[in-house]
Amino acid sequence: MSDARTVGFFTDTSLCIGCKACQVACKQWNELPGALELAGFDPRRGYDATGALSASSWRHVAFVEDVAPGGEPRWSFHSDVCKHCEKAPCLEACPTRAIVRTEFGSVLVRAGVCNGCAYCTAACPFGVIGRSEKVGVAQKCTFCVDRLGQAMEPACAKACPTDSILFGPLGELRARADTRARALRARGQDARLYGCEASEAMGGLHAMSLLAGAPERYGLPSKPERPADRLAADLLRATLTAAGLVVALATWFA
């Protein structure tokens, strides 16, 4: 989308300190459970209290531990969120049209229309959207669309103390992401952009990231796929197979 109102996120892992302020702000603004559980160390999950994106966690800070050459542990962090894909699989899979594209370019689940079938959760290649057992409908990041309507930025971006999460016009963010990646590479750092360019599968993401390593390191698929594309390929193979059988049978009878 090229409309001037189309906005997005750019998350820079090189600036993230793992404070989880974005997660807390998201939960508080959207009245999601578990804000107090984010603080401190969990013996089961370490510092990562939520583990992944879900119906009750619309922002998730991944804690990635590496071992430095000297043997010392080294941490990097990535605040993940719904990608609001240009070709959104969840929107395509929804049978009730509960999932729509807003005037800001974001993908929104309308709770009053959702029937809780969870087709969208199976369709999402990023594992973003989940079905809430409490309210019985799918839930995920809304881009804080209620805040946007009041000319306010999303709660997560507002709360970030290091400006690791930027929110604004999509075109401007893509340009800033490219400039930042070039600067880090010039210093000899690993800086890879994720979702900044349109792909054949997803058509581009409205939530982009700068990563210090491969996407899989942060739990992201390197080549996300839409179920609709896989279905089309499977249908083509089935058609060709059927055509081959018809030709073979015709040849045999002849």
Side-chain angles (χ1 to χ4, degrees):
M1 301 180 69
S2 57
D3 189 278
R5 301 190 73 189
T6 300
V7 290
F9 284 119
F10 169 54
T11 302
D12 186 345
T13 60
S14 69
L15 298 176
C16 183
I17 58 175
C19 68
K20 297 189 258 188
C22 56
Q23 284 186 271
V24 174
C26 175
K27 283 181 174 290
Q28 289 180 334
W29 179 262
N30 294 291
E31 299 181 348
L32 300 172
L36 296 178
E37 298 173 4
L38 296 174
F41 182 85
D42 186 319
R44 297 168 301 168
R45 292 177 172 170
Y47 292 103
D48 186 351
T50 51
L53 293 168
S54 68
S56 60
S57 293
W58 299 354
R59 268 275 178 189
H60 169 243
V61 178
F63 281 62
V64 181
E65 184 178 9
D66 295 319
V67 178
E72 294 294 324
R74 180 175 56 190
W75 292 93
S76 61
F77 315 98
H78 176 239
S79 180
D80 197 14
V81 71
C82 173
K83 312 303 179 292
H84 297 272
C85 311
E86 191 67 35
K87 297 180 181 178
C90 61
L91 189 154
E92 295 173 342
C94 180
T96 63
R97 297 185 180 179
I99 304 178
V100 297
R101 180 84 56 185
T102 73
E103 67 269 31
F104 303 106
S106 59
V107 177
L108 179 69
V109 180
R110 298 182 293 172
V113 185
C114 178
N115 67 358
C117 69
Y119 288 178
C120 55
T121 67
C124 178
F126 302 101
V128 165
I129 191 167
R131 181 183 179 276
S132 170
E133 295 300 327
K134 181 178 180 180
V135 296
V137 299
Q139 292 185 315
K140 70 173 191 65
C141 166
T142 67
F143 258 2
C144 282
V145 68
D146 50 344
R147 291 173 65 93
L148 297 186
Q150 303 176 54
M152 301 166 63
E153 66 179 331
C156 57
K158 180 70 174 178
C160 182
T162 63
D163 284 337
S164 168
I165 301 172
L166 298 179
F167 184 81
L170 198 57
E172 293 181 14
L173 289 181
R174 285 173 175 161
R176 293 188 65 168
D178 184 66
T179 299
R180 177 64 176 167
R182 290 176 183 271
L184 291 176
R185 290 169 191 154
R187 301 178 199 169
Q189 298 183 38
D190 190 352
R192 312 184 193 189
L193 295 179
Y194 188 84
C196 291
E197 296 182 358
S199 67
E200 183 179 347
M202 313 310 296
L205 307 181
H206 290 216
M208 307 161 287
S209 298
L210 186 150
L211 306 176
E216 292 84 356
R217 183 169 178 252
Y218 300 90
L220 297 168
S222 59
K223 294 181 179 180
E225 295 183 343
R226 293 162 57 244
D229 292 338
R230 293 199 302 270
L231 180 62
D234 292 342
L235 181 60
L236 177 60
R237 283 193 292 269
T239 302
L240 293 175
T241 300
L245 288 174
V246 170
V247 172
L249 287 172
T251 303
W252 184 81
F253 280 112

PDB file of all heavy atoms in Angstrom, residues 13-18 41 45-48 61-68 72-78 212 217-218:
ATOM      1  N   THR A  13      17.083  -4.341  16.736  1.00  0.00           N
ATOM      2  CA  THR A  13      17.592  -5.176  17.827  1.00  0.00           C
ATOM      3  C   THR A  13      18.894  -4.634  18.409  1.00  0.00           C
ATOM      4  O   THR A  13      19.220  -4.936  19.559  1.00  0.00           O
ATOM      5  CB  THR A  13      17.837  -6.622  17.346  1.00  0.00           C
ATOM      6  OG1 THR A  13      18.787  -6.615  16.280  1.00  0.00           O
ATOM      7  CG2 THR A  13      16.547  -7.257  16.861  1.00  0.00           C
ATOM      8  N   SER A  14      19.639  -3.849  17.631  1.00  0.00           N
ATOM      9  CA  SER A  14      20.906  -3.317  18.138  1.00  0.00           C
ATOM     10  C   SER A  14      20.689  -2.286  19.242  1.00  0.00           C
ATOM     11  O   SER A  14      21.624  -1.949  19.975  1.00  0.00           O
ATOM     12  CB  SER A  14      21.708  -2.683  16.992  1.00  0.00           C
ATOM     13  OG  SER A  14      21.097  -1.493  16.526  1.00  0.00           O
ATOM     14  N   LEU A  15      19.462  -1.784  19.384  1.00  0.00           N
ATOM     15  CA  LEU A  15      19.146  -0.791  20.409  1.00  0.00           C
ATOM     16  C   LEU A  15      18.314  -1.366  21.545  1.00  0.00           C
ATOM     17  O   LEU A  15      18.151  -0.715  22.584  1.00  0.00           O
ATOM     18  CB  LEU A  15      18.400   0.395  19.787  1.00  0.00           C
ATOM     19  CG  LEU A  15      19.142   1.198  18.719  1.00  0.00           C
ATOM     20  CD1 LEU A  15      18.230   2.268  18.140  1.00  0.00           C
ATOM     21  CD2 LEU A  15      20.409   1.828  19.296  1.00  0.00           C
ATOM     22  N   CYS A  16      17.766  -2.566  21.357  1.00  0.00           N
ATOM     23  CA  CYS A  16      16.891  -3.160  22.369  1.00  0.00           C
ATOM     24  C   CYS A  16      17.713  -3.629  23.570  1.00  0.00           C
ATOM     25  O   CYS A  16      18.737  -4.299  23.416  1.00  0.00           O
ATOM     26  CB  CYS A  16      16.120  -4.338  21.774  1.00  0.00           C
ATOM     27  SG  CYS A  16      14.942  -5.100  22.917  1.00  0.00           S
ATOM     28  N   ILE A  17      17.251  -3.280  24.783  1.00  0.00           N
ATOM     29  CA  ILE A  17      17.951  -3.667  26.012  1.00  0.00           C
ATOM     30  C   ILE A  17      17.192  -4.741  26.790  1.00  0.00           C
ATOM     31  O   ILE A  17      17.584  -5.103  27.902  1.00  0.00           O
ATOM     32  CB  ILE A  17      18.198  -2.439  26.912  1.00  0.00           C
ATOM     33  CG1 ILE A  17      16.867  -1.759  27.269  1.00  0.00           C
ATOM     34  CG2 ILE A  17      19.147  -1.462  26.246  1.00  0.00           C
ATOM     35  CD1 ILE A  17      17.003  -0.612  28.260  1.00  0.00           C
ATOM     36  N   GLY A  18      16.099  -5.245  26.218  1.00  0.00           N
ATOM     37  CA  GLY A  18      15.358  -6.323  26.865  1.00  0.00           C
ATOM     38  C   GLY A  18      14.602  -5.912  28.108  1.00  0.00           C
ATOM     39  O   GLY A  18      14.302  -6.755  28.963  1.00  0.00           O
ATOM     40  N   PHE A  41      12.822 -13.018  36.996  1.00  0.00           N
ATOM     41  CA  PHE A  41      13.330 -14.260  36.411  1.00  0.00           C
ATOM     42  C   PHE A  41      12.379 -15.400  36.733  1.00  0.00           C
ATOM     43  O   PHE A  41      12.026 -15.632  37.894  1.00  0.00           O
ATOM     44  CB  PHE A  41      14.717 -14.549  36.985  1.00  0.00           C
ATOM     45  CG  PHE A  41      15.370 -15.777  36.418  1.00  0.00           C
ATOM     46  CD1 PHE A  41      16.089 -15.715  35.233  1.00  0.00           C
ATOM     47  CD2 PHE A  41      15.270 -17.000  37.073  1.00  0.00           C
ATOM     48  CE1 PHE A  41      16.697 -16.856  34.716  1.00  0.00           C
ATOM     49  CE2 PHE A  41      15.874 -18.137  36.556  1.00  0.00           C
ATOM     50  CZ  PHE A  41      16.589 -18.055  35.376  1.00  0.00           C
ATOM     51  N   ARG A  45      11.239 -20.440  32.444  1.00  0.00           N
ATOM     52  CA  ARG A  45      11.477 -19.780  31.159  1.00  0.00           C
ATOM     53  C   ARG A  45      12.608 -18.766  31.186  1.00  0.00           C
ATOM     54  O   ARG A  45      12.857 -18.095  30.204  1.00  0.00           O
ATOM     55  CB  ARG A  45      10.192 -19.078  30.703  1.00  0.00           C
ATOM     56  CG  ARG A  45       9.067 -20.039  30.340  1.00  0.00           C
ATOM     57  CD  ARG A  45       7.819 -19.279  29.967  1.00  0.00           C
ATOM     58  NE  ARG A  45       6.794 -20.166  29.431  1.00  0.00           N
ATOM     59  CZ  ARG A  45       5.535 -19.798  29.205  1.00  0.00           C
ATOM     60  NH1 ARG A  45       5.153 -18.566  29.453  1.00  0.00           N
ATOM     61  NH2 ARG A  45       4.662 -20.657  28.721  1.00  0.00           N
ATOM     62  N   GLY A  46      13.294 -18.632  32.310  1.00  0.00           N
ATOM     63  CA  GLY A  46      14.344 -17.640  32.396  1.00  0.00           C
ATOM     64  C   GLY A  46      13.745 -16.241  32.453  1.00  0.00           C
ATOM     65  O   GLY A  46      12.752 -15.999  33.133  1.00  0.00           O
ATOM     66  N   TYR A  47      14.350 -15.344  31.706  1.00  0.00           N
ATOM     67  CA  TYR A  47      13.862 -13.967  31.700  1.00  0.00           C
ATOM     68  C   TYR A  47      12.691 -13.779  30.739  1.00  0.00           C
ATOM     69  O   TYR A  47      12.045 -12.741  30.746  1.00  0.00           O
ATOM     70  CB  TYR A  47      14.993 -13.012  31.314  1.00  0.00           C
ATOM     71  CG  TYR A  47      16.080 -12.925  32.364  1.00  0.00           C
ATOM     72  CD1 TYR A  47      17.298 -13.580  32.198  1.00  0.00           C
ATOM     73  CD2 TYR A  47      15.873 -12.202  33.539  1.00  0.00           C
ATOM     74  CE1 TYR A  47      18.281 -13.512  33.166  1.00  0.00           C
ATOM     75  CE2 TYR A  47      16.852 -12.136  34.518  1.00  0.00           C
ATOM     76  CZ  TYR A  47      18.056 -12.786  34.327  1.00  0.00           C
ATOM     77  OH  TYR A  47      19.026 -12.726  35.291  1.00  0.00           O
ATOM     78  N   ASP A  48      12.447 -14.769  29.886  1.00  0.00           N
ATOM     79  CA  ASP A  48      11.355 -14.691  28.917  1.00  0.00           C
ATOM     80  C   ASP A  48      10.097 -15.292  29.542  1.00  0.00           C
ATOM     81  O   ASP A  48       9.876 -16.492  29.487  1.00  0.00           O
ATOM     82  CB  ASP A  48      11.740 -15.435  27.640  1.00  0.00           C
ATOM     83  CG  ASP A  48      10.715 -15.290  26.531  1.00  0.00           C
ATOM     84  OD1 ASP A  48       9.623 -14.747  26.806  1.00  0.00           O
ATOM     85  OD2 ASP A  48      10.995 -15.702  25.401  1.00  0.00           O
ATOM     86  N   VAL A  61       9.244 -10.027  23.768  1.00  0.00           N
ATOM     87  CA  VAL A  61      10.682  -9.771  23.714  1.00  0.00           C
ATOM     88  C   VAL A  61      11.418 -11.098  23.824  1.00  0.00           C
ATOM     89  O   VAL A  61      11.376 -11.758  24.876  1.00  0.00           O
ATOM     90  CB  VAL A  61      11.135  -8.817  24.831  1.00  0.00           C
ATOM     91  CG1 VAL A  61      12.653  -8.618  24.772  1.00  0.00           C
ATOM     92  CG2 VAL A  61      10.430  -7.475  24.701  1.00  0.00           C
ATOM     93  N   ALA A  62      12.073 -11.494  22.733  1.00  0.00           N
ATOM     94  CA  ALA A  62      12.849 -12.737  22.724  1.00  0.00           C
ATOM     95  C   ALA A  62      14.232 -12.479  23.316  1.00  0.00           C
ATOM     96  O   ALA A  62      14.890 -11.496  22.957  1.00  0.00           O
ATOM     97  CB  ALA A  62      12.985 -13.262  21.298  1.00  0.00           C
ATOM     98  N   PHE A  63      14.663 -13.354  24.226  1.00  0.00           N
ATOM     99  CA  PHE A  63      15.996 -13.276  24.824  1.00  0.00           C
ATOM    100  C   PHE A  63      16.877 -14.321  24.145  1.00  0.00           C
ATOM    101  O   PHE A  63      16.659 -15.527  24.305  1.00  0.00           O
ATOM    102  CB  PHE A  63      15.919 -13.548  26.327  1.00  0.00           C
ATOM    103  CG  PHE A  63      15.439 -12.377  27.148  1.00  0.00           C
ATOM    104  CD1 PHE A  63      14.173 -11.849  26.959  1.00  0.00           C
ATOM    105  CD2 PHE A  63      16.268 -11.794  28.095  1.00  0.00           C
ATOM    106  CE1 PHE A  63      13.724 -10.779  27.712  1.00  0.00           C
ATOM    107  CE2 PHE A  63      15.835 -10.710  28.844  1.00  0.00           C
ATOM    108  CZ  PHE A  63      14.557 -10.200  28.656  1.00  0.00           C
ATOM    109  N   VAL A  64      17.848 -13.876  23.390  1.00  0.00           N
ATOM    110  CA  VAL A  64      18.725 -14.774  22.644  1.00  0.00           C
ATOM    111  C   VAL A  64      20.110 -14.745  23.279  1.00  0.00           C
ATOM    112  O   VAL A  64      20.765 -13.699  23.319  1.00  0.00           O
ATOM    113  CB  VAL A  64      18.823 -14.350  21.158  1.00  0.00           C
ATOM    114  CG1 VAL A  64      19.714 -15.319  20.400  1.00  0.00           C
ATOM    115  CG2 VAL A  64      17.436 -14.288  20.542  1.00  0.00           C
ATOM    116  N   GLU A  65      20.549 -15.887  23.783  1.00  0.00           N
ATOM    117  CA  GLU A  65      21.842 -15.964  24.472  1.00  0.00           C
ATOM    118  C   GLU A  65      22.897 -16.590  23.571  1.00  0.00           C
ATOM    119  O   GLU A  65      22.686 -17.640  22.971  1.00  0.00           O
ATOM    120  CB  GLU A  65      21.711 -16.779  25.757  1.00  0.00           C
ATOM    121  CG  GLU A  65      23.001 -16.829  26.580  1.00  0.00           C
ATOM    122  CD  GLU A  65      22.844 -17.612  27.874  1.00  0.00           C
ATOM    123  OE1 GLU A  65      21.795 -18.254  28.053  1.00  0.00           O
ATOM    124  OE2 GLU A  65      23.784 -17.594  28.700  1.00  0.00           O
ATOM    125  N   ASP A  66      24.034 -15.916  23.483  1.00  0.00           N
ATOM    126  CA  ASP A  66      25.188 -16.432  22.752  1.00  0.00           C
ATOM    127  C   ASP A  66      26.359 -16.545  23.720  1.00  0.00           C
ATOM    128  O   ASP A  66      26.344 -15.990  24.816  1.00  0.00           O
ATOM    129  CB  ASP A  66      25.567 -15.495  21.601  1.00  0.00           C
ATOM    130  CG  ASP A  66      24.483 -15.431  20.545  1.00  0.00           C
ATOM    131  OD1 ASP A  66      23.918 -16.485  20.222  1.00  0.00           O
ATOM    132  OD2 ASP A  66      24.187 -14.322  20.063  1.00  0.00           O
ATOM    133  N   VAL A  67      27.386 -17.256  23.272  1.00  0.00           N
ATOM    134  CA  VAL A  67      28.611 -17.360  24.050  1.00  0.00           C
ATOM    135  C   VAL A  67      29.715 -16.627  23.296  1.00  0.00           C
ATOM    136  O   VAL A  67      30.023 -16.961  22.149  1.00  0.00           O
ATOM    137  CB  VAL A  67      29.016 -18.827  24.297  1.00  0.00           C
ATOM    138  CG1 VAL A  67      30.325 -18.885  25.084  1.00  0.00           C
ATOM    139  CG2 VAL A  67      27.909 -19.556  25.057  1.00  0.00           C
ATOM    140  N   ALA A  68      30.249 -15.604  23.915  1.00  0.00           N
ATOM    141  CA  ALA A  68      31.313 -14.806  23.310  1.00  0.00           C
ATOM    142  C   ALA A  68      32.587 -15.644  23.194  1.00  0.00           C
ATOM    143  O   ALA A  68      32.727 -16.677  23.867  1.00  0.00           O
ATOM    144  CB  ALA A  68      31.561 -13.554  24.147  1.00  0.00           C
ATOM    145  N   GLU A  72      32.206 -15.898  27.796  1.00  0.00           N
ATOM    146  CA  GLU A  72      31.208 -15.154  28.544  1.00  0.00           C
ATOM    147  C   GLU A  72      29.871 -15.146  27.802  1.00  0.00           C
ATOM    148  O   GLU A  72      29.836 -15.027  26.579  1.00  0.00           O
ATOM    149  CB  GLU A  72      31.688 -13.706  28.759  1.00  0.00           C
ATOM    150  CG  GLU A  72      32.906 -13.577  29.655  1.00  0.00           C
ATOM    151  CD  GLU A  72      32.605 -13.991  31.080  1.00  0.00           C
ATOM    152  OE1 GLU A  72      31.480 -13.729  31.544  1.00  0.00           O
ATOM    153  OE2 GLU A  72      33.485 -14.593  31.721  1.00  0.00           O
ATOM    154  N   PRO A  73      28.767 -15.261  28.529  1.00  0.00           N
ATOM    155  CA  PRO A  73      27.449 -15.188  27.865  1.00  0.00           C
ATOM    156  C   PRO A  73      27.175 -13.785  27.356  1.00  0.00           C
ATOM    157  O   PRO A  73      27.603 -12.791  27.950  1.00  0.00           O
ATOM    158  CB  PRO A  73      26.481 -15.580  28.985  1.00  0.00           C
ATOM    159  CG  PRO A  73      27.207 -15.238  30.249  1.00  0.00           C
ATOM    160  CD  PRO A  73      28.653 -15.486  29.971  1.00  0.00           C
ATOM    161  N   ARG A  74      26.488 -13.729  26.234  1.00  0.00           N
ATOM    162  CA  ARG A  74      26.163 -12.444  25.624  1.00  0.00           C
ATOM    163  C   ARG A  74      24.719 -12.501  25.161  1.00  0.00           C
ATOM    164  O   ARG A  74      24.293 -13.473  24.543  1.00  0.00           O
ATOM    165  CB  ARG A  74      27.110 -12.173  24.443  1.00  0.00           C
ATOM    166  CG  ARG A  74      26.879 -10.866  23.716  1.00  0.00           C
ATOM    167  CD  ARG A  74      27.951 -10.668  22.653  1.00  0.00           C
ATOM    168  NE  ARG A  74      27.999 -11.799  21.732  1.00  0.00           N
ATOM    169  CZ  ARG A  74      28.967 -11.993  20.829  1.00  0.00           C
ATOM    170  NH1 ARG A  74      29.985 -11.150  20.774  1.00  0.00           N
ATOM    171  NH2 ARG A  74      28.933 -13.035  20.030  1.00  0.00           N
ATOM    172  N   TRP A  75      23.971 -11.455  25.466  1.00  0.00           N
ATOM    173  CA  TRP A  75      22.546 -11.439  25.161  1.00  0.00           C
ATOM    174  C   TRP A  75      22.241 -10.480  24.022  1.00  0.00           C
ATOM    175  O   TRP A  75      22.886  -9.443  23.866  1.00  0.00           O
ATOM    176  CB  TRP A  75      21.741 -10.986  26.387  1.00  0.00           C
ATOM    177  CG  TRP A  75      21.757 -11.945  27.527  1.00  0.00           C
ATOM    178  CD1 TRP A  75      22.614 -11.962  28.592  1.00  0.00           C
ATOM    179  CD2 TRP A  75      20.868 -13.051  27.718  1.00  0.00           C
ATOM    180  NE1 TRP A  75      22.309 -12.993  29.426  1.00  0.00           N
ATOM    181  CE2 TRP A  75      21.238 -13.678  28.930  1.00  0.00           C
ATOM    182  CE3 TRP A  75      19.789 -13.557  26.993  1.00  0.00           C
ATOM    183  CZ2 TRP A  75      20.583 -14.790  29.426  1.00  0.00           C
ATOM    184  CZ3 TRP A  75      19.124 -14.658  27.486  1.00  0.00           C
ATOM    185  CH2 TRP A  75      19.516 -15.269  28.696  1.00  0.00           C
ATOM    186  N   SER A  76      21.253 -10.854  23.242  1.00  0.00           N
ATOM    187  CA  SER A  76      20.641  -9.925  22.298  1.00  0.00           C
ATOM    188  C   SER A  76      19.132 -10.112  22.410  1.00  0.00           C
ATOM    189  O   SER A  76      18.658 -11.162  22.846  1.00  0.00           O
ATOM    190  CB  SER A  76      21.116 -10.167  20.864  1.00  0.00           C
ATOM    191  OG  SER A  76      20.770 -11.462  20.423  1.00  0.00           O
ATOM    192  N   PHE A  77      18.400  -9.074  22.030  1.00  0.00           N
ATOM    193  CA  PHE A  77      16.961  -9.068  22.262  1.00  0.00           C
ATOM    194  C   PHE A  77      16.223  -8.630  21.003  1.00  0.00           C
ATOM    195  O   PHE A  77      16.738  -7.862  20.199  1.00  0.00           O
ATOM    196  CB  PHE A  77      16.606  -8.114  23.414  1.00  0.00           C
ATOM    197  CG  PHE A  77      17.503  -8.238  24.603  1.00  0.00           C
ATOM    198  CD1 PHE A  77      18.561  -7.352  24.779  1.00  0.00           C
ATOM    199  CD2 PHE A  77      17.309  -9.238  25.540  1.00  0.00           C
ATOM    200  CE1 PHE A  77      19.409  -7.469  25.868  1.00  0.00           C
ATOM    201  CE2 PHE A  77      18.142  -9.362  26.634  1.00  0.00           C
ATOM    202  CZ  PHE A  77      19.207  -8.472  26.804  1.00  0.00           C
ATOM    203  N   HIS A  78      15.009  -9.128  20.868  1.00  0.00           N
ATOM    204  CA  HIS A  78      14.169  -8.716  19.746  1.00  0.00           C
ATOM    205  C   HIS A  78      12.720  -8.644  20.188  1.00  0.00           C
ATOM    206  O   HIS A  78      12.143  -9.632  20.645  1.00  0.00           O
ATOM    207  CB  HIS A  78      14.292  -9.696  18.579  1.00  0.00           C
ATOM    208  CG  HIS A  78      13.378  -9.369  17.449  1.00  0.00           C
ATOM    209  ND1 HIS A  78      12.421 -10.233  16.975  1.00  0.00           N
ATOM    210  CD2 HIS A  78      13.261  -8.254  16.688  1.00  0.00           C
ATOM    211  CE1 HIS A  78      11.766  -9.678  15.976  1.00  0.00           C
ATOM    212  NE2 HIS A  78      12.247  -8.467  15.796  1.00  0.00           N
ATOM    213  N   ALA A 212      20.542  -9.075  14.180  1.00  0.00           N
ATOM    214  CA  ALA A 212      21.978  -9.354  14.239  1.00  0.00           C
ATOM    215  C   ALA A 212      22.185 -10.848  14.053  1.00  0.00           C
ATOM    216  O   ALA A 212      22.638 -11.550  14.955  1.00  0.00           O
ATOM    217  CB  ALA A 212      22.553  -8.884  15.571  1.00  0.00           C
ATOM    218  N   ARG A 217      17.341 -17.398  14.293  1.00  0.00           N
ATOM    219  CA  ARG A 217      17.926 -17.125  15.616  1.00  0.00           C
ATOM    220  C   ARG A 217      16.923 -16.452  16.537  1.00  0.00           C
ATOM    221  O   ARG A 217      16.984 -16.598  17.759  1.00  0.00           O
ATOM    222  CB  ARG A 217      19.161 -16.240  15.418  1.00  0.00           C
ATOM    223  CG  ARG A 217      19.941 -15.912  16.664  1.00  0.00           C
ATOM    224  CD  ARG A 217      21.265 -15.272  16.288  1.00  0.00           C
ATOM    225  NE  ARG A 217      22.030 -14.894  17.456  1.00  0.00           N
ATOM    226  CZ  ARG A 217      22.214 -13.633  17.860  1.00  0.00           C
ATOM    227  NH1 ARG A 217      21.701 -12.635  17.165  1.00  0.00           N
ATOM    228  NH2 ARG A 217      22.928 -13.375  18.938  1.00  0.00           N
ATOM    229  N   TYR A 218      15.986 -15.739  15.952  1.00  0.00           N
ATOM    230  CA  TYR A 218      14.972 -15.013  16.722  1.00  0.00           C
ATOM    231  C   TYR A 218      13.591 -15.655  16.612  1.00  0.00           C
ATOM    232  O   TYR A 218      12.593 -15.047  16.973  1.00  0.00           O
ATOM    233  CB  TYR A 218      14.902 -13.567  16.238  1.00  0.00           C
ATOM    234  CG  TYR A 218      16.197 -12.811  16.388  1.00  0.00           C
ATOM    235  CD1 TYR A 218      17.137 -12.794  15.368  1.00  0.00           C
ATOM    236  CD2 TYR A 218      16.500 -12.139  17.568  1.00  0.00           C
ATOM    237  CE1 TYR A 218      18.337 -12.110  15.500  1.00  0.00           C
ATOM    238  CE2 TYR A 218      17.699 -11.457  17.714  1.00  0.00           C
ATOM    239  CZ  TYR A 218      18.623 -11.449  16.675  1.00  0.00           C
ATOM    240  OH  TYR A 218      19.809 -10.775  16.821  1.00  0.00           O
TER     241      TYR A 218
END
